[in-house]
Amino acid sequence: MKLHELAHARSGDKGSTADISVIAYTPSTYSHLRTHLTPDRVRAHFPDLPPGPVHRYELPSLHALKFVLHDALDGGVTRSLALDAHGKSLAACLLEMDVPDLPPPTDSKNSKDPKDSKD
């Protein structure tokens, strides 16, 4: 499953630093994103960027994860010869990441309540 099926993203840049915020579409998918969207996976998803560190910040009240990619933009928009050194394009790229499927929902109708037992 692609990340864009579970979340949307916003990104930006300042100098050589890019930031990407990934926001879950629903509160129930936030924990799945927390488990499977790690700094190491984000770093690996961008193998062509300069190898700076990636930090993750959790924003549970917004059901969001913010990733800061340090030294990712080769000096920034005004200093790089790259065709698109803007951090804004990185959100779209990240949303193409493969993530494991969501676990099936638990069906409360099929689970038995001990109070309903006739034993």
Side-chain angles (χ1 to χ4, degrees), residues 6-10 20-27 29-31 33-34 37 56-67:
L6 302 175
H8 60 100
R10 302 273 305 173
I20 306 171
S21 295
V22 178
I23 305 101
Y25 288 134
T26 64
T29 59
Y30 176 66
S31 65
L33 294 179
R34 283 184 62 226
L37 204 55
R56 181 176 88 172
Y57 300 91
E58 297 182 10
L59 304 156
S61 61
L62 299 175
H63 312 296
L65 301 170
K66 178 177 179 147
F67 294 90

Side-chain angles (χ1 to χ4, degrees), residues 25-91:
Y25 288 134
T26 64
S28 61
T29 59
Y30 176 66
S31 65
H32 189 72
L33 294 179
R34 283 184 62 226
T35 300
H36 298 289
L37 204 55
T38 65
D40 288 339
R41 289 205 62 215
V42 170
R43 175 73 251 164
H45 191 71
F46 295 108
D48 295 330
L49 292 181
V54 175
H55 293 106
R56 181 176 88 172
Y57 300 91
E58 297 182 10
L59 304 156
S61 61
L62 299 175
H63 312 296
L65 301 170
K66 178 177 179 147
F67 294 90
V68 178
L69 291 73
H70 297 278
D71 304 319
L73 301 177
D74 198 24
V77 175
T78 59
R79 293 182 50 199
S80 174
L81 296 177
L83 289 176
D84 187 5
H86 292 76
K88 296 188 183 319
S89 62
L90 297 179

